Amino acid sequence: NAGVTQTPKFRVLKTGQSMTLLCAQDMNHEYMYWYRQDPGMGLRLIHYSVGEGTTAKGEVPDGYNVSRLKKQNFLLGLESAAPSQTSVYFCASRAGGYNQPQHFGDGTRLSIL
Amino acid sequence: AQKITQTQPGMFVQEKEAVTLDCTYDTSDQSYGLFWYKQPSSGEMIFLIYQGSYDEQNATEGRYSLNFQKARKSANLVISASQLGDSAMYFCAMSSGGYQKVTFGTGTKLQVIP
């Protein structure tokens, strides 16, 4: 079972470059999430989606855009990368219902120089 | 707005002893869910236990139990008989709101001492 797959696993960017992180899940989950994890700050929600074609802002959405054109994929875009966006990015998916836990990908370590 | 607070950045526990990791939450929703996740040094996120806002009994999963005090808005994780493999970061999280937003706390780093 693949579960949640994030691509790429590592990436180094220069300030001002753009890139897209891909998250794919094969569990037919409705909800998908993007988080960033920084030391001492836990996981902070960037954007999330409650279904195909829908997205919503989380706690720290500035500088990021997302799209969910297909139910199984959730893309996170950085239009003009900044050093403050250096972080580990996690994608998660879950089925509907308050009692459903999230399933996480292995994370993407992104460094912006 | 919903918020999760974990006030213990780090904790130590002796092997085979029990330990309690604190979590308080804030939400205006009546329906919500509380979760605990474990993140070992390898980085993956592992689901441990769930408690629903309407559950009358505290959740248990093996050596993990959740001490749920609704009036105090607390959902503390209790790990019994600690093992060296329990050394990890532990995160408390809450799902609430119509769009099922899930918010995390800042985490507690637990170190088990032989």
Side-chain angles (χ1 to χ4, degrees):
Chain A
N1 288 339
V4 178
T5 303
Q6 290 184 233
T7 309
K9 297 191 185 307
F10 305 94
R11 186 75 183 267
V12 178
L13 290 178
K14 293 182 180 178
T15 298
Q17 287 185 318
S18 64
M19 79 161 296
T20 300
L21 280 64
L22 171 63
C23 177
Q25 54 98 0
D26 62 2
M27 296 170 283
N28 202 35
H29 286 166
E30 287 296 328
Y31 301 151
M32 296 187 75
Y33 306 79
W34 275 108
Y35 294 89
R36 61 177 289 174
Q37 183 176 19
D38 303 290
M41 304 189 78
L43 277 76
R44 292 183 291 169
L45 182 63
I46 304 171
H47 287 281
Y48 62 107
S49 169
V50 299
E52 183 178 313
T54 72
T55 63
K57 293 180 180 180
E59 306 164 75
V60 289
D62 294 342
Y64 305 95
N65 56 74
V66 289
S67 65
R68 189 151 177 219
L69 301 179
K70 293 183 178 181
K71 187 176 184 179
Q72 63 267 34
N73 295 337
F74 195 28
L75 278 63
L76 177 71
L78 285 72
E79 290 186 346
S80 179
S84 61
Q85 294 177 304
T86 293
S87 187
V88 178
Y89 292 85
F90 283 97
C91 175
S93 71
R94 65 194 285 252
Y98 289 103
N99 64 340
Q100 297 301 311
Q102 291 171 303
H103 298 256
F104 283 84
D106 290 336
T108 295
R109 188 172 296 274
L110 183 61
S111 294
I112 300 163
L113 306 177
Chain B
Q2 58 190 65
K3 186 176 181 181
I4 294 283
T5 302
Q6 294 180 256
T7 58
Q8 305 156 314
M11 289 192 69
F12 291 92
V13 64
Q14 205 76 33
E15 194 178 7
K16 301 181 183 179
E17 297 293 314
V19 63
T20 298
L21 306 183
D22 294 342
C23 172
T24 59
Y25 61 92
D26 189 23
T27 181
S28 57
D29 295 317
Q30 296 301 308
S31 299
Y32 52 88
L34 296 156
F35 303 83
W36 278 91
Y37 291 86
K38 173 184 178 181
Q39 186 180 43
S41 58
S42 51
E44 73 269 29
M45 295 288 288
I46 302 167
F47 165 68
L48 295 178
I49 195 167
Y50 163 82
Q51 180 84 41
S53 58
Y54 295 114
D55 294 342
E56 295 185 350
Q57 295 203 346
N58 288 340
T60 59
E61 288 287 348
R63 294 187 298 111
Y64 304 109
S65 61
L66 202 152
N67 184 359
F68 181 47
Q69 298 188 42
K70 195 171 183 177
R72 293 186 174 185
K73 293 191 173 180
S74 73
N76 299 338
L77 176 70
V78 180
I79 305 174
S80 63
S82 296
Q83 302 172 356
L84 295 178
D86 293 334
S87 294
M89 282 290 289
Y90 288 83
F91 292 99
C92 181
M94 175 172 63
S95 67
S96 68
Y99 283 118
Q100 295 287 291
K101 181 188 289 189
V102 180
T103 304
F104 282 75
T106 52
T108 296
K109 184 174 183 178
L110 177 67
Q111 296 184 63
V112 180
I113 305 167

